[in-house]
Amino acid sequence: MAEQDYLAELGAELTQMRAAKGWTTQQLAIRCRRSRTSVSQALNTRQGRPAPSLDTVSIICEVLGGDTRRLLTLLRQGRSQQNFGQPGPLASDGSRQFTREPSEPSPPELGGLYNPLRRENLERSVQWALEASPAIPLARQPLTKGDGIYAIYYTGSYELYQPVSAPGCSMPLFVGSTRPSVSRQNSSGLPAGSGLRRRLLQHQRTIERCDNLRLVDFHVRYLPVEEMFVPGAVRLLVGDHQPVWNTVLEGFDFHEPGKARMARRSPWDELHPGRPWAAHMAPNGKGVQELRAAIRRHLARDSDKHR
């Protein structure tokens, strides 16, 4: 029996959706703001050819109105096929298979064998589990207990963040984590062991106070995870996606400083005013226009990288 070609299925479905719109490949590329080569690669993908990037397929799905989640699953299964052959069945507990490629398919110290227990591959599996989880509105208080990692996505119409704004939540605006607290209670009223809930509640309040952002335009993915895997998973997520609020516009996750430490406003508070304590601080060394220009340059480079 011939092996199922997930990449060919993906390419065929994307091609059918393009044809249904009556668009040429060039017209689709213009609407996706991607090169014709990268779009053509996605439409004609199959085993034996380079797989398209996750970002390119995600944007094509959004433009064509396809089932983004299902088609990205085909892409991941196809990539897994290229590296490991057919994916195995789900575990008895229903846990998800991780079907993306490993960070290092052929570690030289193992003679070309893939070692799933290498630290970075374990951390990759945490990253993939987060990215495979559903994105929920940030305004919805998560019911989860524990600490772990999370990624915040923007889906609104704020002009500056349009390059990462997408219903499919493929490019995070911010990646963060929480660690276990030794205290039994905190200012949010939640007990110790509720780190993710507490942190996301803080982020909700920060955005609600902001003058030029709306809480309804934000979604989040979160994953409770063992503490030892948190730093590595965050490092990989930030390294892969270069989220704006982790790199160019720091300060979103800042807390009110003590009076002795009051200094300049963070870049985030300079561009997104609203936190009462930041209003009393000296202006940031970079003005709003300079910060906006830096974000545009960053997102333009990131877009080019994925073409």
Side-chain angles (χ1 to χ4, degrees):
M1 183 177 178
E3 182 180 59
Q4 183 176 4
D5 189 336
Y6 294 106
L7 290 179
E9 289 183 30
L10 170 65
E13 291 208 28
L14 293 177
T15 299
Q16 289 173 3
M17 289 190 291
R18 176 192 60 77
K21 292 282 188 180
W23 297 340
T24 64
T25 300
Q26 181 63 33
Q27 289 172 328
L28 176 59
I30 292 171
R31 287 171 169 81
C32 293
R33 298 182 181 180
R34 290 291 183 270
S35 68
R36 187 185 186 284
T37 300
S38 63
V39 171
S40 178
Q41 181 187 54
L43 297 177
N44 296 288
T45 186
R46 64 171 183 259
Q47 286 300 318
R49 294 183 177 180
S53 73
L54 184 146
D55 185 53
T56 295
V57 173
S58 179
I59 289 177
I60 292 175
C61 289
E62 291 162 15
V63 169
L64 294 177
D67 185 343
T68 302
R69 184 164 186 166
R70 189 177 66 81
L71 292 174
L72 288 181
T73 297
L74 284 176
L75 173 60
R76 289 173 175 135
Q77 289 173 323
R79 286 180 168 186
S80 177
Q81 239 177 358
Q82 288 182 327
N83 290 299
F84 308 115
Q86 286 280 66
L90 291 176
S92 58
D93 62 358
S95 59
R96 182 180 296 274
Q97 288 278 45
F98 302 114
T99 56
R100 287 173 61 180
E101 68 274 16
S103 56
E104 186 180 336
S106 302
E109 72 272 15
L110 296 178
L113 295 178
Y114 171 62
N115 181 4
L117 299 181
R118 286 184 72 242
R119 179 65 176 261
E120 186 175 352
N121 288 332
L122 290 172
E123 292 166 347
R124 280 285 180 195
S125 73
V126 175
Q127 173 191 355
W128 302 337
L130 174 72
E131 293 176 337
S133 66
I136 67 169
L138 182 59
R140 185 190 306 172
Q141 178 65 31
L143 301 178
T144 187
K145 293 182 180 180
D147 293 271
I149 60 176
Y150 60 92
I152 293 176
Y153 302 83
Y154 185 70
T155 58
S157 57
Y158 188 68
E159 170 266 333
L160 199 58
Y161 299 139
Q162 283 308 289
V164 297
S165 176
C169 298
S170 57
M171 295 292 289
L173 197 60
F174 180 77
V175 170
S177 64
T178 67
R179 302 288 189 87
S181 172
V182 295
S183 63
R184 293 185 177 181
Q185 199 79 11
N186 49 75
S187 59
S188 67
L190 295 172
S194 304
L196 281 170
R197 293 180 62 190
R198 181 170 66 252
R199 183 65 55 78
L200 294 179
L201 181 59
Q202 291 170 352
H203 291 332
Q204 289 175 22
R205 291 170 177 168
T206 293
I207 293 173
E208 284 176 331
R209 292 170 175 168
C210 185
D211 294 344
N212 51 13
L213 296 174
R214 304 186 309 161
L215 183 60
V216 69
D217 293 328
F218 289 85
H219 285 66
V220 63
R221 289 187 171 100
Y222 59 88
L223 182 73
V225 65
E226 292 288 344
E227 182 183 8
M228 66 181 293
F229 298 115
V230 167
V234 170
R235 173 179 56 82
L236 292 170
L237 283 160
V238 172
D240 283 357
H241 299 295
Q242 295 291 299
V244 174
W245 289 0
N246 290 91
T247 54
V248 181
L249 203 68
E250 296 180 328
F252 172 62
D253 57 341
F254 286 6
H255 300 286
E256 180 175 4
K259 291 184 178 180
R261 299 176 59 192
M262 293 289 276
R264 294 181 181 272
R265 281 192 290 270
S266 72
W268 192 92
D269 287 291
E270 191 70 31
L271 186 60
H272 299 301
R275 288 194 279 206
W277 51 266
H280 303 293
M281 303 174 74
N284 186 269
K286 296 181 179 179
V288 169
Q289 294 307 315
E290 186 177 354
L291 292 171
R292 291 174 65 88
I295 291 172
R296 289 194 180 97
R297 287 194 300 270
H298 175 80
L299 292 177
R301 285 196 301 267
D302 190 65
S303 178
D304 291 340
K305 181 180 71 175
H306 286 89
R307 291 185 181 186

